[in-house]
Amino acid sequence: AQSVSQHNHHVILSEAASLELGCNYSYGGTVNLFWYVQYPGQHLQLLLKYFSGDPLVKGIKGFEAEFIKSKFSFNLRKPSVQWSDTAEYFCAVNPPYAGKSTFGDGTTLTVKP
Amino acid sequence: DGGITQSPKYLFRKEGQNVTLSCEQNLNHDAMYWYRQDPGQGLRLIYYSQIVNDFQKGDIAEGYSVSREKKESFPLTVTSAQKNPTAFYLCATGQESGANVLTFGAGSRLTVL
């Protein structure tokens, strides 16, 4: 069974700082990779996804993630965070056609104005 | 307006009682999921269904039951056998068969007194 590890449980940054959230997964085959975000008081929603092709994917609100197959990683990045990025971020993986996704424990990001 | 409706939003129950959480969708998605969200533990899969009249156990199915009699509906029953039922429950649907991009409802918070 696949598993997902997010290295940071709580990250605190000042506005304009750069962000990188780590995500590693354990699964030997092809996987689809996702980052979801839960803003305070809002639904969990998709931030970005990787299925195949260019390992650097771009999502909403200036976020991007890089898939490094050799490291089983899919780290989330943003060059300059804003106060509105304060949220909980979840990494998820699923093998294609497995029918289900496995989530990491989540990282709470707090951005100080 | 397409989406997922979960009800009730908040629910209190006494120990020993069963309770059913509703999840209805009008997105015409085939797959539906129930996740449990606890602080610091991410999302854990309870049950999922990829087609009407069929469902599979997730990672933490003990003490829960589901049905999928209609494409639009996937109710979750939390039975008295569930040892720690107090949690936030999220319903999701899956689009893009195989890719499994999830759309989430607003969630139901169950508190056992």
Side-chain angles (χ1 to χ4, degrees), chain A residues 38 42-43, chain B residues 4-6 9 88-91 104-108:
Chain A
Q38 191 171 34
Q42 296 188 27
H43 296 198
Chain B
I4 301 169
T5 301
Q6 289 189 242
K9 190 171 182 179
F88 189 56
Y89 292 89
L90 283 168
C91 178
F104 286 89
S108 292

Side-chain angles (χ1 to χ4, degrees), chain A residues 24-72:
Chain A
N24 285 90
Y25 65 93
S26 63
Y27 184 75
T30 302
V31 290
N32 296 323
L33 297 156
F34 310 85
W35 277 97
Y36 289 88
V37 60
Q38 191 171 34
Y39 297 104
Q42 296 188 27
H43 296 198
L44 200 64
Q45 60 185 283
L46 181 69
L47 191 59
L48 49 76
K49 62 189 179 187
Y50 172 80
F51 295 157
S52 63
D54 188 345
L56 185 63
V57 293
K58 296 188 184 300
I60 60 172
K61 302 186 179 184
F63 285 90
E64 64 180 30
E66 184 175 15
F67 169 51
I68 302 179
K69 189 175 182 179
S70 61
K71 295 185 179 181
F72 297 90

Side-chain angles (χ1 to χ4, degrees), chain A residues 1-108:
Chain A
Q2 63 265 29
S3 65
V4 180
S5 175
Q6 292 184 238
H7 314 300
N8 314 99
H9 293 293
H10 196 178
V11 173
I12 302 173
L13 296 173
S14 297
E15 276 195 315
S18 63
L19 170 72
E20 181 161 4
L21 301 182
C23 173
N24 285 90
Y25 65 93
S26 63
Y27 184 75
T30 302
V31 290
N32 296 323
L33 297 156
F34 310 85
W35 277 97
Y36 289 88
V37 60
Q38 191 171 34
Y39 297 104
Q42 296 188 27
H43 296 198
L44 200 64
Q45 60 185 283
L46 181 69
L47 191 59
L48 49 76
K49 62 189 179 187
Y50 172 80
F51 295 157
S52 63
D54 188 345
L56 185 63
V57 293
K58 296 188 184 300
I60 60 172
K61 302 186 179 184
F63 285 90
E64 64 180 30
E66 184 175 15
F67 169 51
I68 302 179
K69 189 175 182 179
S70 61
K71 295 185 179 181
F72 297 90
S73 70
F74 190 55
N75 292 354
L76 181 70
R77 300 195 293 247
K78 186 170 184 179
S80 176
V81 295
Q82 300 173 310
W83 176 79
S84 59
D85 293 325
T86 294
E88 190 160 17
Y89 294 81
F90 295 92
C91 181
V93 302
N94 80 281
Y97 299 99
K100 59 178 181 175
S101 293
T102 299
F103 284 77
D105 289 346
T107 297
T108 301

Side-chain angles (χ1 to χ4, degrees), chain B residues 23-25 30 32 49 51-53 67-75:
Chain B
C23 178
E24 302 281 331
Q25 57 111 349
D30 288 319
M32 297 188 74
S49 168
I51 197 168
V52 175
N53 293 322
S67 63
R68 187 83 187 278
E69 297 176 1
K70 300 186 300 181
K71 185 175 184 177
E72 300 79 17
S73 178
F74 191 43

Side-chain angles (χ1 to χ4, degrees), chain B residues 95-108:
Chain B
Q95 62 183 35
E96 299 183 44
S97 178
N100 200 37
V101 177
L102 299 177
T103 301
F104 286 89
S108 292

